[in-house]
Amino acid sequence: MASRRRTLLKVIILGDSGVGKTSLMNQYVNKKFSPQYKATIGADFLTKEVQSDDRLFTLQIWDTAGQERFQSLGVAFYRGADCCVLVYDVNVQKSFDNLNNWREEFLIQASPSDPENFPFVVLGNKVDVDGGNSRVVSEKKARAWCASKGNIPYFETSAKDGINVEEAFEVIAKNALKNEEEEIYLPDTIDVGNTSQPRASGCDC
Amino acid sequence: MHETDIHDLSDDADYAAASQQGSSSINRSDSSKRSSSSDLEDAEIVYMKDNVAIHPTQSAIEGIGGRLKLLKQGSSLFMTWIPYKGQSSNARLSARDANLYTIRAVSFSGIHSIRRHTPTIGWQYVIVVLSTGLAYPPLYFYSGGVREFFATIKQHVLIVRSSENANVFLVNNFQDPLQRTLSSLELPRSLANRTPSSSFPDSPSEGNSDNKHTSEDESSDSIQQNNKQRQKSQDPARDISIQVLEKFSLVTRFARETTSQLFRESLDAHGPNEKRRTNWETSANDVEIAPKKVPVPSDPLELDKLSKVWGQPRQHPLEHQEWSIFMDSEGRIVDPDALRKRVFYGGVEDSLRKEVWPFLLGYYSYDSTYAEREYAVSAKKSEYETIKNQWQSISVEQAKRFTKFRERNVLIEKDVVRTDRSLSFYEGDDNPDVRRMHDILLTYSFYNFDLGYCQGMSDLLSPILYIMKDESEAFWCFVYLLERLGPNFNRDQSGMHSQLFALSKLVELLDSPLHDYFKQNDCLNFFFCFRWILIQFKREFQYETTLRLWEVLWTHYPSEHLHLYVCVAILKRHRAKIMGEQMDFDTLLKFINELSGQIDLDPVLRDAEALCVYAGENGVASIPPGTPPSLSSQDASIYQQQDDEVL
């Protein structure tokens, strides 16, 4: 069973409505962007095969509804998650302010075995909008918050232009894998976690 | 006895077609074989059974009850079935069908065979096939009595069990003396020992479909063993089927389908049992069936058959001329139930939806006149403008200190620009109808501030605005729709949870193996059906098809919870794949999401109706009181929310 489990890495994308969760997922998996993705109802996921240190994994990326009202569904969707991606829109203050709520809600509903060390990744999306002129959340502010929550890796992305999306998901996959290995206590593969460490800490957070 | 002209059948397409072909008709065979009623006055009644019914329109609701008799005159046996007078709820149907289906003393010398059918659910029925190849519609024995029926026949006429199918009894079969002798020997045992309940032990507890044989099959198997060689040259059931298929002039489509099913079964009897069992799943499935990995418990209801008996085929949509017939001279809907029923079975022509939808949604009352509606529409228009003005008059300065308003507005703005924009009605920059959608939703969030705006509402509004065009009219239709579906958006999700719970109870009732499977695999929360229910399958069908489904659901005929039966129907169509591939929750969710655009609505509706009618009171009992869209839940408390996070 352990070997079967290990091939699948489950990643949950959370964040306010309209920050670009569906777009990020589709940009990463399908290399496509559409301005007309419908609001996600319930939940859905896409899968992508990823290679890490000569091993193949299936990344299962869950896209969820952004409205708070649907959070009670999380119990069913979050369970077994290996990494949680928190997304906000750098042009919307409120979506950044809500990151903490999303993080706490996730920890409550997914109840991972080691919440202190559960891997999160934060993405500040829509950096392309208006050439950055409509931006209201500074990178510095975002990184400070990530640092305060246990050095959460941080990326500034544009799902529309494909900026930093691939890079972000590489770290997401590595951290999910690291979590997965730790969860099932397999010391022989801990080196994978080590290789991801420099990347994660390379974000100045 | 009715003496109305039985030849007045011009409006029955099947019958007319048959007559044109010049094939034998029931009338002809009747006239040659039957005695007149006066001739039979001195006949002895050897069997009489009340509550024997036919279902001419394939809907259980439409059954015509009657009395079945066997009459003995001299050495001849006759069968009659006379419908009760005025039993049907639909008078128009009753008058015609009563004449059409009355069986006036058919002599057994003109009967080829009688097929007994004992479904696992529902009533036993028999189909009488005449020597001409014609078949009467199935006769349903509401109060039992099939065994006695055959036993009585056997006392008076030579009947033999078909070697091909243990449930087919051949009358006057002198072609093969050997078979007659052999089969006659079989008959007493089977009639004496086989009670209806033991004759079809196709229960889910028996599990394994791959090796499963019903006793019906076992009986025929044993006969087949004895008669294997002979069957190759003599195959009575096949003879019948060829005869019937060639000469088909059945009175109803119902009988045709049931009878063809009957013969398909007997033809399939040589092949593996599994073939028949999975037949509907492969033929009616919307997606490719992957190879089964594990044995799947068979469907206890055999939905394919159930659907034929209890579900009606779709009709053409209601159009203008017919619509006008539903109204009196002043514009009142004379018979709202008849209208609802009509729309349920056929939907509404697109150009007529604008007129009909406000009634279905409860915005216009059925007993209102043209004049009253005209007045109401104008009054409602100013009421709408008043509410709309409440948010339109909020100044920029005011909005800065009104976070909830700003956030609600932003959320709506984000959603309307991504709702059905590929539709020409909503496409393009600065589309005025996208603006209208925004305004209606924001106005609604002031009209019902407690409920506010929730994602999914734009999906519900889009088709309404598309049909109604007028902003105020669309708003009020939307208001009335949310009178029913508002609880779907409750902050605590109670409306959704109660529907998902009711759905799990219905699956337990209508497909216990599937329910057990969901239970074992931690899927009983039914969250994979969340999107279906929240927005009434809006994302699952093409736009036009969604309009059709919605108007059907809005009729609340035959149940206000038909949408839950639609869920069951779709799940049942894919049960073999779900269980066969051992889907876990995640895989199941993905599978369900990907059914979007793959579901064929009409058969699903027919299945849903069949399931609903079959479930009957048990179905009602499975759905807790107040489950949306139940109107009994419409008290103000459902919208009461905690004061924080009103969005």
Side-chain angles (χ1 to χ4, degrees):
Chain A
M1 285 312 284
S3 61
R4 195 190 72 84
R5 273 278 293 154
R6 239 184 300 161
T7 62
L8 185 73
L9 300 173
K10 183 168 177 177
V11 174
I12 313 287
I13 308 181
L14 299 179
D16 277 8
S17 175
V19 296
K21 298 179 292 298
T22 306
S23 297
L24 283 163
M25 177 177 78
N26 272 289
Q27 178 59 261
Y28 174 61
V29 176
N30 298 324
K31 303 274 177 282
K32 281 193 302 197
F33 175 79
S34 160
Q36 287 177 12
Y37 288 123
K38 294 181 175 189
T40 305
I41 303 284
D44 201 359
F45 62 83
L46 292 177
T47 55
K48 180 164 170 143
E49 299 296 320
V50 293
Q51 196 170 354
S52 174
D53 298 335
D54 297 330
R55 291 169 63 193
L56 268 177
F57 303 93
T58 302
L59 206 55
Q60 188 188 64
I61 304 164
W62 283 69
D63 179 27
T64 56
Q67 198 167 7
E68 286 171 62
R69 221 173 283 205
F70 295 122
Q71 277 182 9
S72 69
L73 296 172
V75 176
F77 301 140
Y78 302 169
R79 64 183 164 192
D82 298 303
C83 181
C84 178
V85 182
L86 302 173
V87 185
Y88 77 98
D89 178 346
V90 299
N91 308 288
V92 178
Q93 181 66 40
K94 174 84 176 184
S95 69
F96 176 73
D97 297 342
N98 271 340
L99 286 185
N100 205 44
N101 295 339
W102 283 112
R103 181 176 172 277
E104 285 177 3
E105 189 67 27
F106 174 82
L107 290 175
I108 290 167
Q109 296 213 29
S111 52
S113 54
D114 184 9
E116 291 299 312
N117 295 305
F118 187 86
F120 286 90
V121 172
V122 171
L123 307 182
N125 193 35
K126 303 198 185 182
V127 293
D128 60 280
V129 172
D130 199 16
N133 291 325
S134 61
R135 179 165 188 150
V136 293
V137 181
S138 70
E139 183 174 352
K140 190 180 168 190
K141 203 172 167 186
R143 289 193 183 280
W145 184 82
C146 290
S148 74
K149 296 295 171 188
N151 285 333
I152 299 177
Y154 175 72
F155 291 89
E156 303 225 316
T157 57
S158 163
K160 187 181 176 190
D161 297 340
I163 298 170
N164 253 351
V165 175
E166 190 74 29
E167 294 82 348
F169 273 95
E170 257 176 55
V171 169
I172 289 163
K174 296 261 185 196
N175 285 5
L177 183 57
K178 180 182 158 200
N179 180 67
E180 179 72 23
E181 305 294 356
E182 285 171 357
E183 286 259 303
I184 56 174
Y185 297 107
L186 287 177
D188 58 321
T189 52
I190 214 85
D191 58 320
V192 178
N194 291 339
T195 59
S196 71
Q197 210 50 42
R199 278 182 176 274
S201 58
C203 306
D204 279 348
C205 39
Chain B
M1 249 182 221
H2 292 263
E3 289 300 330
T4 322
D5 185 8
I6 198 169
H7 296 274
D8 182 20
L9 297 165
S10 51
D11 56 341
D12 187 296
D14 286 320
Y15 187 90
S19 300
Q20 278 174 4
Q21 286 164 10
S23 59
S24 305
S25 73
I26 286 177
N27 294 337
R28 219 151 80 197
S29 64
D30 274 359
S31 59
S32 60
K33 307 286 187 203
R34 81 178 185 209
S35 306
S36 74
S37 53
S38 58
D39 287 342
L40 278 174
E41 270 170 7
D42 59 335
E44 178 195 0
I45 299 172
V46 292
Y47 172 91
M48 186 173 83
K49 195 73 199 171
D50 275 306
N51 293 315
V52 177
I54 60 159
H55 291 254
T57 60
Q58 302 193 354
S59 161
I61 299 165
E62 296 286 341
I64 300 175
R67 177 178 289 171
L68 183 68
K69 283 189 214 172
L70 293 174
L71 302 160
K72 177 92 175 180
Q73 190 180 48
S75 61
S76 300
L77 188 68
F78 298 88
M79 185 181 87
T80 66
W81 179 81
I82 310 297
Y84 301 133
K85 280 182 183 173
Q87 284 287 295
S88 171
S89 55
N90 186 328
R92 196 174 63 90
L93 187 75
S94 173
R96 179 170 69 91
D97 292 350
N99 294 326
L100 185 57
Y101 298 113
T102 299
I103 301 174
R104 292 180 179 78
V106 57
S107 166
F108 270 72
S109 63
I111 293 177
H112 182 282
S113 61
I114 304 173
R115 152 82 184 209
R116 176 185 64 181
H117 199 106
T118 311
T120 42
I121 52 94
W123 308 291
Q124 281 189 289
Y125 60 91
V126 302
I127 296 171
V128 177
V129 181
L130 299 173
S131 307
T132 57
L134 298 171
Y136 285 115
L139 294 162
Y140 287 84
F141 288 68
Y142 286 177
S143 314
V146 172
R147 241 174 90 197
E148 295 78 4
F149 176 65
F150 279 101
T152 307
I153 295 169
K154 192 177 136 277
Q155 287 170 15
H156 301 283
V157 179
L158 180 66
I159 60 171
V160 295
R161 183 192 292 273
S162 162
S163 59
E164 182 76 11
N165 187 322
N167 278 321
V168 172
F169 295 89
L170 304 171
V171 185
N172 307 312
N173 184 349
F174 304 110
Q175 294 167 359
D176 187 342
L178 175 62
Q179 182 194 330
R180 194 182 76 200
T181 311
L182 285 174
S183 301
S184 299
L185 288 172
E186 293 281 343
L187 195 58
R189 179 189 63 82
S190 53
L191 280 179
N193 296 343
R194 297 183 58 185
T195 62
S197 60
S198 69
S199 67
F200 215 116
D202 196 358
S203 68
S205 58
E206 306 215 348
N208 196 343
S209 69
D210 287 345
N211 299 318
K212 192 160 63 169
H213 289 251
T214 62
S215 67
E216 167 194 334
D217 298 311
E218 280 159 13
S219 301
S220 56
D221 280 354
S222 65
I223 298 168
Q224 279 169 22
Q225 289 293 325
N226 296 337
N227 303 336
K228 209 161 191 172
Q229 284 306 107
R230 198 166 36 77
Q231 271 182 5
K232 290 185 175 168
S233 54
Q234 175 68 24
D235 196 343
R238 186 159 298 172
D239 287 351
I240 301 168
S241 66
I242 291 166
Q243 206 175 64
V244 170
L245 291 170
E246 280 176 351
K247 295 186 182 176
F248 245 130
S249 61
L250 290 178
V251 184
T252 64
R253 184 178 294 132
F254 177 96
R256 180 173 62 213
E257 290 181 357
T258 313
T259 315
S260 63
Q261 171 75 14
L262 178 165
F263 289 116
R264 192 161 66 241
E265 279 172 30
S266 59
L267 289 171
D268 280 351
H270 290 292
N273 202 19
E274 190 185 338
K275 182 185 167 192
R276 194 191 80 196
R277 206 158 288 290
T278 58
N279 184 35
W280 74 273
E281 280 163 340
T282 48
S283 64
N285 218 336
D286 305 305
V287 295
E288 188 183 338
I289 295 284
K292 284 180 189 165
K293 296 196 176 82
V294 295
V296 174
S298 66
D299 181 356
L301 295 191
E302 299 192 76
L303 186 55
D304 54 335
K305 294 177 191 167
L306 182 78
S307 198
K308 286 200 173 82
V309 178
W310 303 82
Q312 249 191 77
R314 307 297 302 161
Q315 299 170 5
H316 61 84
L318 176 72
E319 39 72 41
H320 287 269
Q321 198 175 358
E322 194 183 354
W323 165 239
S324 63
I325 298 171
F326 279 98
M327 286 189 281
D328 67 15
S329 57
E330 292 181 298
R332 296 182 195 86
I333 306 295
V334 181
D335 187 349
D337 289 342
L339 174 66
R340 286 167 52 233
K341 183 177 163 188
R342 176 67 182 86
V343 172
F344 177 82
Y345 284 114
V348 181
E349 203 179 81
D350 192 58
S351 59
L352 194 60
R353 288 191 163 119
K354 196 175 175 177
E355 284 185 60
V356 179
W357 279 20
F359 288 100
L360 298 176
L361 288 167
Y363 171 35
Y364 297 168
S365 71
Y366 287 113
D367 59 2
S368 62
T369 62
Y370 291 122
E372 285 164 349
R373 289 199 289 274
E374 196 178 335
Y375 174 77
V377 165
S378 114
K380 285 290 185 186
K381 193 176 188 66
S382 45
E383 190 181 345
Y384 172 71
E385 293 300 334
T386 303
I387 306 167
K388 185 179 177 183
N389 193 44
Q390 288 169 4
W391 62 263
Q392 282 190 318
S393 63
I394 293 173
S395 69
V396 177
E397 282 304 305
Q398 202 182 351
K400 279 180 184 169
R401 299 174 192 85
F402 195 171
T403 309
K404 281 173 187 169
F405 168 69
R406 282 201 319 275
E407 288 175 358
R408 195 175 278 188
N409 188 27
V410 165
L411 196 52
I412 292 170
E413 278 176 352
K414 277 184 174 160
D415 281 354
V416 295
V417 297
R418 49 179 175 167
T419 301
D420 297 321
R421 295 303 297 284
S422 55
L423 202 73
S424 64
F425 186 72
Y426 291 117
E427 77 181 356
D429 297 336
D430 299 323
N431 182 310
D433 287 304
V434 173
R435 172 46 57 179
R436 277 188 197 101
M437 200 195 289
H438 165 272
D439 289 358
I440 291 171
L441 289 169
L442 196 52
T443 305
Y444 181 79
S445 83
F446 273 71
Y447 173 82
N448 188 346
F449 201 86
D450 290 338
L451 190 62
Y453 173 75
C454 183
Q455 289 193 318
M457 286 185 181
S458 66
D459 278 282
L460 293 182
L461 174 60
S462 161
I464 288 177
L465 180 58
Y466 170 76
I467 291 298
M468 300 308 295
K469 305 288 193 283
D470 179 80
E471 189 175 321
S472 165
E473 287 291 276
F475 172 79
W476 290 109
C477 283
F478 181 67
V479 163
Y480 278 86
L481 178 63
L482 285 202
E483 285 296 301
R484 299 173 178 185
L485 302 182
N488 286 10
F489 303 103
N490 282 358
R491 236 160 272 277
D492 60 2
Q493 295 290 298
S494 58
M496 286 302 297
H497 285 300
S498 65
Q499 286 173 90
L500 293 169
F501 175 77
L503 174 57
S504 78
K505 301 308 280 181
L506 286 179
V507 171
E508 187 174 11
L509 174 71
L510 296 165
D511 198 338
S512 61
L514 187 61
H515 175 268
D516 292 345
Y517 177 84
F518 286 154
K519 192 175 180 181
Q520 285 157 18
N521 290 274
D522 220 3
C523 296
L524 273 190
N525 59 34
F526 278 81
F527 280 179
F528 46 87
C529 295
F530 186 86
R531 188 173 75 191
W532 289 1
I533 292 174
L534 186 84
I535 50 174
Q536 300 273 286
F537 304 93
K538 165 73 161 41
R539 303 269 181 99
E540 319 311 321
F541 296 100
Q542 295 295 310
Y543 205 75
E544 170 65 26
T545 312
T546 304
L547 307 182
R548 175 60 33 82
L549 171 61
W550 282 13
E551 62 204 7
V552 166
L553 293 179
W554 294 345
T555 64
H556 284 186
Y557 176 97
S559 162
E560 62 196 5
H561 295 112
L562 192 84
H563 66 297
L564 298 179
Y565 291 97
V566 171
C567 294
V568 179
I570 300 171
L571 290 174
K572 279 177 88 68
R573 282 187 169 253
H574 300 282
R575 65 193 300 287
K577 189 175 170 72
I578 291 167
M579 292 190 279
E581 294 182 11
Q582 294 275 287
M583 292 186 188
D584 60 9
F585 177 83
D586 294 358
T587 315
L588 182 57
L589 178 95
K590 184 81 179 158
F591 172 69
I592 296 289
N593 282 346
E594 289 180 351
L595 283 182
S596 173
Q598 308 288 321
I599 304 168
D600 193 358
L601 180 63
D602 283 358
V604 163
L605 278 178
R606 190 167 165 175
D607 287 356
E609 185 200 1
L611 289 166
C612 181
V613 174
Y614 165 68
E617 287 301 312
N618 291 331
V620 174
S622 299
I623 301 172
T627 300
S630 180
L631 297 178
S632 62
S633 71
Q634 294 298 311
D635 64 295
S637 64
I638 59 167
Y639 293 125
Q640 276 176 14
Q641 307 291 347
Q642 292 168 350
D643 200 49
D644 56 348
E645 60 143 312
V646 173
L647 245 185

